[in-house]
Amino acid sequence: MTRPASRLAIAVLASGRGSNLQALINAVAAGTLDARIVGVFSDKPGAIALERAQDAGIPTTVLLPATYATRAAFDAQLFEAIDPCTPDVILCAGYMRLIGKREVQGRRGRLLNIHPSLLPAFKGLRTHAQALAAGASEHGASVHYVTPDLDGGPVIAQVRVPVLAQDDADTLARRVLVREHILLVETVRLLAAGRLALNGDVIRLDGAAISTPLQLTANNDFS
Ligand code: GRF
């Protein structure tokens, strides 16, 4: 992706709490992220993410899946609502529905997701419990391009968090979440600067292919 002509326009899809959305809102408001959030879209009318968006003056749209005959019909309507906002990036941040193949393929390289695990480990739900059950010594979060495979697209960047002996799923989730917010903002910052591109399955940073995901360091930059 080359640097957008104006500030990076982001559409956010969220189904729940919206703390990742809030991290982006805060970074934009603080002037540390050169981007604008052009809309927040949800499948859950009660999502706290919607309140966060409204408080920040961001337009919100809710579509109820139960009122559509098929998932494809829902997705088509969702993107009919999103596309007029002309986002450079569509970010799933706690969006709890799979997006159909047709919509994903038409937006390759523009559709991203944040997932709370070190992908490819622990796809799907309850990732913190999965990591503990597997005896993992490290857990974390990943920002990846969305493909039709669940949590399966090329991974741009990750943050690693040690698993502590006394951790349960909640304590681990809390520690990962703090770091995941920074991971998301820093990754979006790369996008906003036009430094990232997806060619086929290859991610390029400043034009050079990266063979492994970028890693967020303790200083909150990437190695
Ligand atoms: C985050 O852990 C995110 O990685 C995952 O769902 C959770 C959403 O949290 N996809 P929030 O709604 O952003 O607070």
Side-chain angles (χ1 to χ4, degrees):
M1 200 168 107
T2 51
R3 190 187 178 98
S6 56
R7 277 186 306 157
L8 185 83
I10 310 169
V12 176
L13 275 59
S15 301
R17 180 179 55 185
S19 67
N20 278 288
L21 167 67
Q22 189 69 55
L24 291 175
I25 290 172
N26 293 351
V28 169
T32 55
L33 178 62
D34 194 19
R36 56 204 164 98
I37 304 170
V38 293
V40 172
F41 299 82
S42 186
D43 58 331
K44 298 276 189 225
I48 297 170
L50 294 166
E51 291 172 31
R52 295 180 189 271
Q54 284 151 12
D55 288 349
I58 299 166
T60 58
T61 304
V62 180
L63 283 86
L64 301 175
T67 61
Y68 295 85
T70 61
R71 193 178 78 182
F74 173 85
D75 281 347
Q77 192 61 50
L78 174 65
F79 284 96
E80 261 183 48
I82 293 173
D83 288 344
C85 302
T86 61
D88 299 300
V89 170
I90 302 161
L91 174 67
C92 301
Y95 182 63
M96 302 308 285
R97 286 177 64 82
L98 277 175
I99 300 172
K101 197 169 176 175
R102 179 192 161 92
E103 307 297 342
V104 169
Q105 281 174 340
R107 294 170 180 81
R108 219 181 144 73
R110 292 202 301 128
L111 196 50
L112 280 82
N113 182 44
I114 181 154
H115 179 78
S117 80
L118 296 172
L119 289 171
F122 313 130
K123 297 178 178 178
L125 300 175
R126 295 178 295 98
T127 58
H128 311 292
Q130 286 190 56
L132 290 173
S137 59
E138 252 188 342
H139 188 43
S142 305
V143 177
H144 67 95
Y145 288 107
V146 174
T147 63
D149 302 324
L150 173 69
D151 301 326
V155 178
I156 302 169
Q158 295 181 321
V159 63
R160 310 182 95 83
V161 173
V163 176
L164 306 180
Q166 67 272 24
D167 266 331
D168 60 26
D170 288 340
T171 59
L172 182 56
R174 275 200 290 277
R175 285 207 319 288
V176 170
L177 191 65
V178 172
R179 298 295 292 149
E180 128 175 22
H181 292 160
I182 298 167
L183 174 73
L184 181 60
V185 170
E186 293 305 319
T187 307
V188 172
R189 201 193 302 279
L190 294 180
L191 289 162
R195 297 181 60 191
L196 283 172
L198 181 68
N199 301 125
D201 280 337
V202 177
I203 296 172
R204 290 182 186 277
L205 174 68
D206 299 331
I210 57 167
S211 53
T212 53
L214 304 172
Q215 301 292 319
L216 189 74
T217 69
N219 294 330
N220 296 336
D221 48 27
F222 285 118
S223 63

